Amino acid sequence: MENIQATLNRGPAVQAAKPIKMKTKDVTVHYGAKQALNGVTLNIPENQVTALIGPSGCGKSTYLRCLNRMNDTIDIAKVGGEILLDGEDVYDPDIDVVELRARVGMVFQKPNPFPKSIFDNVAYGPKIHGLARSKQELDEIVHTSLRRAGLYKEVHDRLDEPGTGLSGGQQQRLCIARAIAVSPEVILMDEPCSALDPIATATVEELIDELRENYTIVIVTHSMQQAARVSQLTAMFHLGDLAEVGPTEKMFSNPDDKRTQDYITGRFG
Amino acid sequence: MENIQATLNRGPAVQAAKPIKMKTKDVTVHYGAKQALNGVTLNIPENQVTALIGPSGCGKSTYLRCLNRMNDTIDIAKVGGEILLDGEDVYDPDIDVVELRARVGMVFQKPNPFPKSIFDNVAYGPKIHGLARSKQELDEIVHTSLRRAGLYKEVHDRLDEPGTGLSGGQQQRLCIARAIAVSPEVILMDEPCSALDPIATATVEELIDELRENYTIVIVTHSMQQAARVSQLTAMFHLGDLAEVGPTEKMFSNPDDKRTQDYITGRFG
Amino acid sequence: MSDATANGIAATAAERKPRRDIGIGRRYAAERRFKAYGIIAIAIGLAFLVMLLTSIISKGYTAFWQTEIKVPITFTEKVLGTPEQAVKSQTKLLMANYPQLARDGLVQLLGISADDKKAVSAANGLISSGTRVTLRDMVMNDLSIIGTTEDVWLYASSELDSAMKGQYDLSVPENRRPISDLQLEYIDKLKSQGAIEERFNWGLFTFGASSRAETAGLGVAIIGSFYMMLIVLALALPIGVAASIYLEEFAPKNKFTDLIEVNINNLAAVPSIVFGLLGLAVFINWFGLPRSAPLVGGLVLTLMTLPTIIIATRAALRAVPPSIRWAALGLGASRTQTIFHHVLPLAAPGILTGTIIGLAQALGETAPLLLIGMVAFVADYPATPMEPATALPVQIYMWANEAERAFVERTSGAIIILLAFLAIMNLTAIFLRRRFERRW
Amino acid sequence: QSNQQIHVAGSSTVLPYAQIVAENFGETFPDYQTPIIESGGSSAGLKQFCQGVGPDTIDVADASRSIREKEIKACADAGVTEISEVKFGYDGIVFASSASGPDFKLTPAMIFTAMAAKVPQDGKVVDNAAKSWNEVDSSLPDQEITAFIPASNHGTREVFEEKVLKQGCEDSGAMEAFTKSGMDKDAAEEACMSVRNDGSISEISGDYTETLARIEANQKAIGVFGLAFYEQNQDKLKVATINDVVPSADTIASGEYPVSRPLFFYVKRAHLGVVPGLSEYVQFFLSEQMTGEGSPTVEYGLVPLPADERDEQVSNFENGVTLGSKS
Amino acid sequence: MSTFTIILVVLAIGLAGAFLGYRHSRALQAPAGVKPHSRPVYHASYVASWAIIPSLLLLAVWLIASPIVIESQVRGSFPEGVLAESQLTEDLAYGIVESLGNGLSVLPDDERATVTDEMPVKDLAALLRNRGLPVASASADWMVPLALDIDTMQFWSRLAMTVVVIALALAGAYWGYRQIAPRLRARNKVEGVVKGALIAASSIAIMTTIGIVFSMLFETIDFFSRISPAEFFFGTVWEPRFSAAGSTGNAGSFGFIPLLAGTLYISAVAMLIAVPIGLFAAIYMAEYADNRTRSVVKPLLEVLAGIPTIVYGFFALVTVGPFLRDLSAQISGIVTGDYASFIQAQSVLTAGLVMAIMLIPFVSSLSDDIITSVPQSLRDGSLGLGATRSETVKRVILPAALPGIVSALLLTASRAIGETMIVVLAAGVAANLTINPFDAMTTITVKIVAQLTGDLEFNSPQTLVAFALGMTLFVITLCLNVYALYIVRKYKEQYE
Ligand SMILES: Nc1ncnc2c1ncn2[C@@H]1O[C@H](COP(=O)(O)OP(=O)(O)OP(=O)(O)O)[C@@H](O)[C@H]1O
Ligand SMILES: Nc1ncnc2c1ncn2[C@@H]1O[C@H](COP(=O)(O)OP(=O)(O)OP(=O)(O)O)[C@@H](O)[C@H]1O
Ligand SMILES: [Mg+2]
Ligand SMILES: [Mg+2]
């Protein structure tokens, strides 16, 4: 356990009693006949990083995709329970999913830049949402986003080259830039670093740490270290259940749940 | 550094002076005009695990693919230098590449089972190489391979279900079973665990450790821990060069090369 | 929702960050419009399909019925000669005046005087002149029939048939329609006697070409089309797949493969009649293959279908993930093994689609056949693909140009049969596709 | 084997008749196979015919026009020197309109005035501006001029130009006016035969079925048909008289009705002894039973040759009169 | 033995050889000393290829050559002067002799035995007629011995062929069998054979092109020797006369421009209608519809591609054309008070519209496949940013699918350019040069068909122009395809 402890100690101190940004209550998901989530109740605090961990197939991605209703795109997926964003039910028929997704952005496991130029990749969101009134404003948004995603320096002289031509780590940062360009309130990240090498991973982790100031972040990861490094709250999933949730520090030092303990003391990496 | 040290201490002791299975000398690779490897000279000892590490794009996969001439499938790839397997030049026009690949098997980053039954997946290699003279012998080979890959218990009652229906970790182990079913002498693995969760990773790592007794293994990994855990020899690549090579223990405790030091002391994960 | 904390959070959020106006209403309207366009597009396509099918079927279904008349035929020795004579020489029997037998029978049935020329010729106009062959075959098969009387169902003439099906405007003056009032009277009489009946028109499927609508059938055309499809399938599919494999899997990317690629795309744009010119120049005039033969037709259609199959197959091969290829190669399979063991089976559904589209095109094509002599009157069944035959679309084309009313319904009837062929082919393909897809 | 079976190719106008004869030939002579009759146009038929002599080439070419000098030459170049020309009847060409419309009593002059591209007016040559038939002649109905005439790849077009337009041009005095206005003879003739191009006259390159369908779609139109086709569709069509003559087999055979064209087939004499049944086929074609009065072809709509002329054709064929030797 | 039997025997030998080779090879593998290079299956195929390929090639050559040899033999022995007496050419006489000879082989043995050199042809003809083989009346007595010769020669040739081919198959099998050795690279050799076959298959496309050019070239040259290319390519009037008979000797005008314009115009209108409908249908099926709807609608739409085009033609002629005409009359009546239709019954619009119906499935099915294969991750990426589905489709999916869609559209355009019957019946055959889509126009393919299948003089420019048109169209589409390849390449390079 020493090394996790070491990592935790380097991580930022958890601040107490942040307001709750998203609330989920008894969330269930069925894929056809198969139940993938059996009632998950979890509060996601504002301006913090919440990490979801757990063995493969336990429902982390499924849960994440409920938060901005990306599950709507899967025909057979049926979502039950209550999910509140700032107190509003996101599955309320009156709620507009487009607006919801603009407020709750998402970054995926595999970097998926559009086959467009770097500029257009980032400008895509602001354009469809009409966030910029002029070319200048758009430029401004794109540059800021790229800068915040720590990519600007590397690409500023080739903004009109295709985004698909970047390296894996750059592509992932481009996707993050693309997500923050629409100024979401929450950013969901599904294993954002699993395709990246350590150096690229480090850059992205630093970025997440910075973004925390302004955004609420939920991240799925397989790497215990990563969870320990970047998150303040950790939720452990197991076979569709929320096994345990708590401050990251506590989760890694003194888990309550037997399953959590087994999982994090297994060999990891 | 403590945690690496801890891992190393758990790793098997490096035995001295193993015979050399593969020798590469001044291997260069060009993709079209771009040079991806600038002369790599490296000896791969028999019955040991050699880990290749280095930042993304440094040429690890490229080097690995030279060893069994998988680069032949890329039209624009041009390979130079000398690569010897048991003293035979693998790029000798007289060498039959099919035979070579039967001797030097490969496992890929993303599990890629054939869309056939589990049995047929494993039986495919023995079939095309005519390794079994009868149905029984074939059964025997398949079962042994599955057992050695640690998959037999999980799938023995559904050998005729499609291999694509398994979980990610199971699929990767199926691919390893498939590779060992043709009794290769060397197994190349390109980031075999990057798509797996920790528990599946652990299973595969244990497997590698066992396989070492009979096979020579070369593995590319992004995870320092993994390299430390499973390998006896580590080679660090950087921008197409072999930065440093040495016993794993030494590499992680006392690297000679500045780049190696920088890389392994960076944040990792 | 009503609990205070929730409201409190909402309030703070609102304070901190005013809701943006992202033009939701406008964008949803665009979304609805876009979706509606899709539905409209599909509706348009399906509406046209329904329109075409209804018009074809409503015009053509009557072709599957044919009016027949039950006539008592006396096989008199006066006309046929005695059985003994017949055994000695068949000439008399072959050349005998069979139509007279039918006429006499009908005259007797209608109870009109044999001397009333006008009445007899009106009655004679009711039965097909094709009865010669029917009656001759009866006699030749069984000489003992000579001297007996037997009720025989004879084909009605096409005019009677069309009149029965209401295809003539009977309100126009008598001299302007092919069927006279007297004949209409006879029809009523036959009806009341129960001697006239609409029966299923098997002849439509079995007869060869004929100038008489009632004895015209698609037999030769179906055989011809069948031979040609067989040839196209046997040649175009393997050649197309082989060419695609070479181009996708083996060919180095160079000027030569570019040349082949451009060529294939271009051949898809060549008007089909030009393939007829090619067939005439190369297969008939140069290789000396026979005219009007399904073999040549099949070869021409093969060349015409190849581009379609190749384009579809290449797309299907390209869609097989490279990881499958690497997996096999990494196990020590050779390229050929990789392709035949893994890539082809995975590409099979796509290849099937291409093949079916190509075959459908080939099945419905007339223009190239015009120049190699397959747009022809062929009465006899071909024994081999080297002998003259026609094809379904050719028969449709030729019937469409016939003046007689009875051919109008037969044209539509033939189209229905052609579409049935197509449907069978499509269903087979869908079935095969399912099988290939379901396995994994 | 192609040299066991008679192989015919050519005009689609002749096809129905050739088809009837072939069918009956097969029924009457069980020894011989039913001949193959290809349709593909006189041009393609003659081209195949002139391909050469031998088992792979066709034996008979059907044509709805006579063979041309240049074609005879091309034939001879390929070794087809002995060709029998057989004329077996006429194809009457009639003008017909929808059965529900008014009657038309036409003359070539009226047709010319209605359809020509340019007409003389007060001594000047002007574009044809006639909109309705009664502008052309007051005896004609007040109906918009719309007509479907055969396209220029059709044999009928030639007859239409020669026997209707040119005739009408002369009758109406337009020819004279054209020459007076300064055209030379060729140009005047050309002007006589060019048809207006303002959409009121449409060309049809397909068959009469197409013309019929077009008339059904546009009840005001008048179209050009073969007599046979008209006779089969009398309940839908109403025929126009030309010079007050009603077209019928009789009036055409007697020459009273002016617009018709002869139908031919050409026999490769070199194949006569070689292809079994070929000369029987030709004789059968010309027999009373097949192309005489009351025969099935005539019932179908063929205008038969007068008996003596038919006999002459038979004797010409039997005596081996060939194209070269005739002239 | 019939050719078919010979082929069967050769295949059987191949199979047997393969079997023996397999056994031999397996036996080789037993001693664990040296590992055999190839598996028994490849040794077996190796033996089989040796047995089958050379012998079948020989068979093919023999089948082609032997009639030629026999013919020259027999022709050489035609008796002096007989041809002069009859009307026959050498070709025809040989044809008769040959069919007599072929007839002989049909006769049963006892009748065949009665036929001698001296037998009068009359009697032979009687024999043959009894077997249902009519004999040419020009056959003469001197032909009987020659027919017998042919029969004998054919008999011996066939016998020799049977023996030699089978012997070669056996020899091949033996040779292949002998070659089997552990280090024999049988697999590589067999795969070489396979690869050769693949290359041969793909070169058929090139041979077809050569064949097409070859079959049109001479007539095209002939045409241009009569009509100057300048007149053809730059002429704006298409008006070939029926023929020169009796009149001015003028063949008419052969301006290519109106036809090209018509082709492009009608295809463009068809594409303009078919592409949006097809694309929207494809998008709906791929992005909105559930799987059941899709699996029903897609094949249904595909039926539209299988309906014979003549049906479309009549649909245009009888239904669509008059409908548009009457509609236009109503519209102009409402607008101007004058009920004159401004759309002609035959018009570019009618043709384009009806052709578009036929083309819908080409666009919809192919595009549907392509859109479906755009990776889900792009869709997720866009939706996750808060784009609506339509925005996702318009801005992400379609651009990503563009290269594929372009090649689908190319195939569709190809179909449009090559279509004849619809244009004939819907737009007519009048070669107008106009920009009014409500007027009649016509296309190159229509004129190719019309000029080839009409009653024109076959060696006049009027007919020959069809070849020139075909050739020109071929070259034009070739250029378009080269350009399209270039564009697609460029696009691919940019975004892959
Ligand atoms: N589209 C789908 N259709 C059917 N079942 C699905 C689908 N997506 C996920 N599942 C199933 O739901 C369960 C949860 O899947 P989920 O992807 O949420 O797991 P996860 O925790 O993200 O795993 P991983 O770490 O491998 O990404 C799994 O059993 C999976 O098989
Ligand atoms: N098929 C190819 N065509 C062109 N360039 C290639 C190709 N494959 C690899 N490269 C280039 O060669 C270099 C080395 O690539 P390689 O895949 O070997 O890196 P790697 O060390 O395996 O990286 P990673 O950790 O991301 O897998 C990279 O710059 C890459 O862009
Ligand atoms: Mg997941
Ligand atoms: Mg790599």
Side-chain angles (χ1 to χ4, degrees), chain B residues 49 57 70 74 84 113 166 202 217 243:
Chain B
V49 179
M70 280 298 279
I74 299 169
L84 306 179
L166 295 176
I217 294 171

Side-chain angles (χ1 to χ4, degrees), chain B residues 96 99, chain E residues 35-39 43 182-188:
Chain B
D96 190 60
E99 211 172 320
Chain E
K35 191 174 170 285
H37 172 277
S38 300
R39 291 188 45 221
H43 286 126
R183 293 314 301 163
L184 171 69
R185 300 185 156 207
R187 200 199 56 245
N188 304 37

